[in-house]
Amino acid sequence: MVTVVRALEQPSLDGPRVMRLVDVVVPVAGSGEVLVKVGAAGVNFADVMQTRGTYDGGPRPPYLAGFEAAGEIVALGESVTNVALGDHVIGTGAGAFAEYVLMPADTVVRVPTGWSDDETLGLVLNWATALVSLRPLGRLTAGDIVLIHAAAGGVGQAAVRIAKYYGATVIGTASASKHDVVRRLGADHVIDRHADLVAEVRRLTGGRGVDIVLESVGGETFRQSVEVARRVTGKVVVIGAAAGESSISNWELNFKHPVHVIGQHLTTTIQQAPELFAEVLAELDELIKKGVYPPGRPTVYDLADGPKALAELEARATVGKLALRPSVDD
């Protein structure tokens, strides 16, 4: 008997509000795959970009939306030996805004002991992104000054906690209504995202600039981030382009802004540097044990309200991690 379940489909590139619920057949796990009964699906800004056609290599409509989820493994494809039926895992797979999703078995991570699926969202995409960007790539050390853009978001909140734990002075950017959230996370200073970023950073650092910028905004903010990085040793780690493309020339890097510009996209990191990703996961496990990385508390929406959740994320009206819950009946 064919089992039909719910999923969210994006029919066009007209933004998240046209996303709709559809009925789909439960997929079958192929070789090297696991079928996961979704307990909670993570919402990311990349999901918004895909609905607008601005995410490089993103799916073409109509497509089943979402790519991050946590849940229970209910079927194993051939050659899968690293996980078992009944394991709760988090990972990525196309069409995660659904009751069931397929994931590559070799990329899933077990849900930490005692954590729910909701609480685990962000472990791979948000916390791993923040950690790999700040530590092995940004070479964060005690005494550094770190500028974190969108500090109230999922990656931003993780980055603030990580940077503070390793002894950095943290400057976060956020909308005015989110400043208290960023301060409670431990940020030493918060700059309004509409303020003069260059002037504020220079004031806060005595003109020295920052050692690391975690740059997820793009557009003019990228160029400002390059300008506020400390000359010669400062690093701008680019993890997103929410506001669009920007560029800097080799001439500028040589003569005007001699800083390090580092690109980081987690999917590429996992594929091209699996040993580095494994080290990051091991470090995350230690941060969980030490209480630096607590269970997440995402804002949870019903699956049917996915279009609303993505629209609110696009409008910068949300704080922290967002999740969709399919509420599958047992």
Side-chain angles (χ1 to χ4, degrees):
M1 183 179 68
V2 175
T3 303
V4 176
V5 294
R6 301 182 307 157
L8 283 173
E9 181 186 71
Q10 181 68 22
S12 69
L13 297 179
D14 295 316
R17 290 198 178 276
V18 301
M19 194 176 288
R20 63 196 181 190
L21 273 176
V22 295
D23 291 333
V24 297
V25 175
V26 175
V28 177
S31 179
E33 294 181 325
V34 294
L35 178 64
V36 174
K37 180 181 179 182
V38 178
V43 178
N44 299 279
F45 201 85
D47 295 306
V48 175
M49 294 177 69
Q50 288 181 359
T51 70
R52 300 286 184 187
T54 58
Y55 190 84
D56 185 58
R60 307 306 300 173
Y63 65 87
L64 296 186
F67 59 86
E68 177 194 19
E72 180 186 355
I73 294 177
V74 294
L76 304 173
E78 292 182 10
S79 305
V80 174
T81 59
N82 61 312
V83 288
L85 291 175
D87 284 351
H88 276 253
V89 297
I90 181 169
T92 58
F97 293 169
E99 295 181 10
Y100 292 85
V101 65
L102 292 175
M103 295 181 182
D106 60 357
T107 64
V108 300
V109 178
R110 285 183 175 83
V111 169
T113 302
W115 288 27
S116 68
D117 294 335
D118 288 5
E119 292 171 332
T120 308
L121 288 177
L123 188 155
V124 174
L125 293 182
N126 301 131
W127 276 80
T129 292
L131 186 59
V132 74
S133 300
L134 290 175
R135 292 278 283 163
L137 298 184
R139 298 184 181 180
L140 173 69
T141 59
D144 281 350
I145 303 176
V146 179
L147 173 63
I148 298 169
H149 288 296
V155 175
Q157 290 196 18
V160 172
R161 290 181 182 272
I162 291 167
K164 288 302 298 180
Y165 174 73
Y166 286 109
T169 295
V170 173
I171 304 171
T173 71
S175 300
S177 62
K178 305 174 184 179
H179 286 196
D180 286 345
V181 172
V182 179
R183 289 193 182 95
R184 285 197 296 270
L185 291 167
D188 300 277
H189 310 282
V190 187
I191 298 174
D192 190 87
R193 72 181 187 89
H194 296 297
D196 185 332
L197 178 69
V198 175
E200 285 296 292
V201 170
R202 285 176 176 165
R203 179 182 66 83
L204 292 171
T205 64
R208 172 183 178 274
V210 300
D211 298 288
I212 306 170
V213 184
L214 192 60
E215 213 295 278
S216 58
V217 181
E220 182 58 27
T221 300
F222 166 75
R223 294 192 60 84
Q224 293 170 349
S225 296
V226 171
E227 190 169 345
V228 301
R230 189 179 184 185
R231 306 296 85 175
V232 182
T233 59
K235 306 171 193 71
V236 181
V237 184
V238 180
I239 62 169
E245 290 187 43
S246 188
S247 63
I248 186 168
S249 69
N250 57 340
W251 186 93
E252 289 175 290
L253 287 172
N254 188 194
F255 294 107
K256 190 177 180 181
H257 301 304
V259 301
H260 304 245
V261 178
I262 304 167
Q264 201 285 118
H265 186 254
L266 193 66
T267 300
T268 305
T269 299
I270 293 170
Q271 293 173 345
Q272 301 297 323
E275 68 292 339
L276 179 62
F277 183 62
E279 291 173 7
V280 167
L281 290 180
E283 190 169 350
L284 280 177
D285 188 53
E286 289 301 310
L287 294 180
I288 289 171
K289 292 176 181 177
K290 293 175 180 177
V292 178
Y293 178 5
R297 295 181 179 178
T299 300
V300 181
Y301 299 74
D302 289 336
L303 183 64
D305 291 328
K308 175 184 176 184
L310 268 71
E312 290 178 352
L313 178 61
E314 184 177 37
R316 295 183 172 87
T318 64
V319 174
K321 188 68 175 177
L322 308 183
L324 303 183
R325 185 176 292 149
S327 299
V328 182
D329 294 326
D330 291 322

